[in-house]
Amino acid sequence: MNLRARSVLRTLLVAAVAGILTAPLASAQPVTLFSDDFGPKPLAGWTPSPLGLATNWDASSGVAAYNGGGHTQLYAGSGSWTDYRFQVKFRVDVAEDYPGGIRGRVDLATGAGYAAWIYPGQGLIKLWRSTAWHIDTSGLTLLSQVSATITPGVDHTLALVFSGDQIAVEYDGTTVIQETDSTLTAGAVALDVSNRPITFDDVAVTAGTTTLLSDDFGPKPLHNWTASPLGLATNWDASTGVAAYNG
């Protein structure tokens, strides 16, 4: 065994006995049904809708960025999800309408779902019930709308919350729409985009204390780990998507 191999083995043994890094107890964390660290395959946990245009998405910078090249979606999750909270962080480049928004309780066969869309030009958030993947398909119903200041170049949060026939839209942490509708009872989630650029980050789908889906579109190297009293934390590197120790 050469010196390098002995050094690596020694490091592993020390880590096993003394704990170079320690993680929080698993029992204190919710059950994760979907996760994605976007390294090295950004957007690997998402599926383009039948509307296509998948090449208009780019997650290489640690966010899911859409170039405004037309109406489409990326979807994730299960068609059997019922009551949950779907939140994203988003940013628009310009105060113009039709960047899109998010869609929940999505029927994966038809694309029908509840869509919360932002309208920066009009200063509105609208809650729609769509009948198909393309939002302008016949039968589209506007359930509610509310005034909102949507500032370009600034991060905002947008959430859809489902509980039975109760549907809420939250904007920047405040409930701005509350409606009753029992048409759609279950479905997946989607990033719902259109004709203006928009970026998404920090996607989270939760049900009670259970995390159904989580995605920050960029790795946070070792952010859940703490160096032991033995130190040498700078010898660790997770910039490539793995925890590498230099020996």
Side-chain angles (χ1 to χ4, degrees):
M1 182 179 294
N2 59 35
L3 290 175
R4 173 70 175 175
R6 284 200 297 270
S7 176
V8 172
L9 178 59
R10 187 163 54 250
T11 298
L12 292 173
L13 290 173
V14 170
V17 175
I20 291 298
L21 298 176
T22 59
L25 292 177
S27 61
Q29 302 299 315
V31 176
T32 301
L33 302 183
F34 179 98
S35 65
D36 195 338
D37 65 1
F38 296 94
K41 296 179 179 179
L43 301 179
W46 297 84
T47 303
S49 80
L51 298 182
L53 304 180
T55 57
N56 290 349
W57 290 92
D58 179 19
S60 62
S61 63
V63 297
Y66 190 72
N67 66 9
H71 180 39
T72 190
Q73 298 87 14
L74 289 178
Y75 67 85
S78 169
S80 65
W81 288 353
T82 54
D83 295 344
Y84 57 83
R85 184 175 188 273
F86 171 31
Q87 177 175 296
V88 302
K89 182 167 69 176
F90 75 89
R91 178 183 293 203
V92 296
D93 293 344
V94 294
E96 297 178 357
D97 292 339
Y98 306 112
I102 59 176
R103 196 179 293 202
R105 285 188 175 173
V106 179
D107 183 324
L108 296 179
T110 66
Y114 295 104
W117 271 37
I118 57 170
Y119 295 79
Q122 300 177 56
L124 294 173
I125 297 173
K126 299 182 182 183
L127 175 62
W128 300 95
R129 186 182 67 232
S130 67
T131 60
W133 288 109
H134 200 292
I135 199 165
D136 290 331
T137 301
S138 176
L140 177 69
T141 301
L142 178 62
L143 297 178
S144 187
Q145 67 180 42
V146 65
S147 297
T149 301
I150 303 163
T151 307
V154 174
D155 290 335
H156 298 279
T157 60
L158 182 66
L160 278 166
V161 184
F162 301 104
S163 179
D165 62 1
Q166 298 300 298
I167 306 165
V169 177
E170 296 177 0
Y171 179 62
D172 285 346
T174 299
T175 299
V176 293
I177 292 175
Q178 185 78 49
E179 285 294 319
T180 299
D181 191 275
S182 59
T183 306
L184 304 169
T185 59
V189 298
L191 306 177
D192 202 6
V193 292
S194 191
N195 298 320
R196 295 292 183 271
I198 186 171
T199 61
F200 297 96
D201 202 359
D202 296 341
V203 175
V205 183
T206 55
T209 59
T210 300
T211 300
L212 302 177
L213 181 150
S214 178
D215 199 336
D216 65 0
F217 299 98
K220 296 178 180 177
L222 302 179
H223 78 298
N224 278 330
W225 298 85
T226 303
S228 80
L230 297 183
L232 304 181
T234 58
N235 290 354
W236 291 90
D237 178 22
S239 61
T240 61
V242 298
Y245 189 75
N246 66 9

